Amino acid sequence: MIPIARPQMGEEEKERVWEAMASGSLAQGPRVRELEEQFAAFVGAGHAVATSSGTTALHLALLGYDIGPGDEVITVPFTFIASANSILYTGARPVFVDIGERDFNIDPSLIEAAITERTKAILPVSLYGQPADMEAVTEIAERRGLAVVEDAAQAHGAAIGERKSGTWGAGTFSFYPTKNMTTGEGGMITTDDGELAERVRLLREHGMKVRYHHDVVGYNFRMTDISAAIGLAQLPKLPAFNERRRAIAARYDEELRGVLTPSVRAGVTHAYHQYTLRVNERDAFAEALKVRGVGSAIYYPIPVHRQKPFLAIGYGHEALPVTDRLTAEVLSIPVHPSLSDDEVSAVIDAVNATAVELGPIEAAAAR
Ligand SMILES: Cc1ncc(COP(=O)(O)O)c(C=O)c1O
């Protein structure tokens, strides 16, 4: 079976981790600091603050913007639940708007209508590794006095023109094992806003600048030096990982038939965290791929506003037709950098044979 993800661990990771363990610096220490500096430089942001996960990065970024009870944050339901849960953690309410049919990301033309006097921030998600339309989102946010938190958990190295994901307002990343680079568990906040960086650093460590002197109620959202050691070995490999992902995606774009392949907005560098098709008879399609030895996954089978905890607090009645349609059609196929050329060919053969078997998706709806 060709798996949907395959984390790549080499000698460099082993050496770095062993070095961290032997040093005795196991919790947050010099390696976390070094990873922050290197990641900030990679993204092109003034500051980077490492966290224990992508979820805690989101939570902290929102707290850093002073978002809390009574506030609303505009986001999308077509995402991993952490994007919206992080808003709930602060006591604020997520307000869901629909996504664009072509890029699977927030539809900026729907944002203004969702803004109320309670709105404090917009939280677009750069899903599957394609940056949301951050220019349009930022233009609205600046005009309406709102903060911007880009959930870039899937978008390491993605860019609009020369500008990378993570450089608008605050960006948050995840280093979960299936991501384009990993630290085991881990996350990062990037920003050019020095005050925001200072606030999230404080909140990350129990509100403590001077040991055992606490200024505010904070959290333990720290990354460990062992995780950072993995990250320091992974980060230099990230550009080559992403290049390989893009080369595989280019073959899929070229050779797949009977399915809708991802459309990339002009001027965008896609990081291809996922290569997500729209297919006919999606569940049967996934089964047929499995029979042909190809793993696939549905990101995500239920949109956030229809998940149980959200139904329990009154969500689920929103009219979000594009989200609903795409939820029924999307299927991600392997695009990770460790795929061999033969494996890529096998994926292509399996997808094309399945599309013949189940019939092509009605392309007219999307193009
Ligand atoms: C879009 C999105 N947001 C947030 C997260 C949360 O990251 P983590 O799993 O590191 O907490 C993830 C990762 O799973 C994600 O894909």
Side-chain angles (χ1 to χ4, degrees), residues 2-332:
I2 301 173
I4 184 70
R6 191 156 50 195
Q8 285 196 270
M9 290 289 126
E11 287 307 312
E12 299 83 358
E13 283 79 359
K14 264 197 223 164
E15 273 169 30
R16 290 270 194 170
V17 167
W18 176 241
E19 199 181 85
M21 287 168 70
S23 79
S25 175
L26 304 181
Q28 183 178 292
R31 287 164 193 82
V32 170
R33 191 67 225 151
E34 199 182 335
L35 182 63
E36 289 176 340
E37 280 164 14
Q38 290 189 15
F39 198 77
F42 169 77
V43 164
H47 310 270
V49 180
T51 60
S52 52
S53 70
T55 304
T56 53
L58 277 166
H59 185 181
L60 269 188
L62 292 168
L63 291 173
Y65 279 125
D66 206 22
I67 287 159
D71 297 335
E72 292 176 356
V73 177
I74 295 173
T75 191
V76 287
F78 194 72
T79 181
F80 181 58
I81 199 164
S83 315
N85 275 353
S86 62
I87 299 168
L88 291 182
Y89 301 154
T90 68
R93 270 184 81 78
V95 172
F96 295 111
V97 300
D98 215 347
I99 53 170
E101 177 107 35
R102 306 205 43 182
D103 69 355
F104 306 114
N105 285 329
I106 195 164
D107 180 344
S109 72
L110 302 174
I111 293 175
E112 296 262 7
I115 296 175
T116 71
E117 68 280 3
R118 292 171 181 264
T119 309
K120 272 282 195 68
I122 311 173
L123 194 160
V125 181
S126 293
L127 199 72
Y128 304 146
Q130 170 151 227
D133 188 345
M134 296 307 299
E135 284 155 346
V137 168
T138 303
E139 188 277 316
I140 297 167
E142 281 176 357
R143 193 156 37 75
R144 304 296 294 260
L146 306 174
V148 171
V149 177
E150 179 193 7
D151 184 345
Q154 305 186 357
H156 320 65
I160 300 174
E162 295 295 308
R163 191 167 173 183
K164 287 208 177 83
S165 273
T167 58
W168 286 269
T172 65
F173 293 84
S174 164
F175 300 130
Y176 186 76
T178 55
K179 297 296 194 278
N180 291 31
M181 67 165 277
T182 185
T183 62
E185 294 274 9
M188 192 74 80
I189 301 169
T190 55
T191 186
D192 280 332
D193 180 341
E195 282 174 28
L196 178 74
E198 200 175 314
R199 274 199 301 281
V200 297
R201 277 186 201 286
L202 190 68
L203 289 166
R204 176 182 62 176
E205 299 193 54
H206 282 300
M208 183 169 77
K209 265 190 223 142
V210 179
R211 207 161 175 75
Y212 305 130
H213 292 67
H214 305 275
D215 300 334
V216 292
V217 176
Y219 302 81
N220 174 359
F221 284 165
R222 294 185 298 262
M223 178 185 277
T224 70
D225 247 27
I226 297 175
S227 291
I230 302 174
L232 285 166
Q234 289 262 300
L235 184 55
K237 301 179 187 177
L238 178 60
F241 285 166
N242 282 353
E243 274 314 310
R244 177 69 185 148
R245 285 176 184 271
R246 280 193 275 274
I248 296 167
R251 273 199 67 192
Y252 289 160
D253 289 347
E254 193 67 25
E255 298 179 46
L256 294 179
R257 301 281 176 270
V259 295
L260 285 177
T261 55
S263 44
V264 182
R265 288 191 303 113
V268 157
T269 304
H270 200 309
Y272 287 107
H273 171 58
Q274 298 297 343
Y275 189 93
T276 302
L277 305 171
R278 295 173 58 187
V279 301
N280 192 20
E281 306 271 358
R282 193 264 318 279
D283 295 349
F285 206 108
E287 251 333 285
L289 285 185
K290 193 162 140 199
V291 170
R292 292 185 161 97
V294 172
S296 64
I298 301 164
Y299 304 110
Y300 294 88
I302 306 174
V304 175
H305 66 300
R306 297 191 196 283
Q307 297 279 358
K308 280 183 197 159
F310 282 82
L311 293 178
I313 54 173
Y315 289 88
H317 303 291
E318 301 84 342
L320 300 163
V322 182
T323 291
D324 283 337
R325 181 146 26 91
L326 296 191
T327 297
E329 292 180 354
V330 289
L331 189 65
S332 300

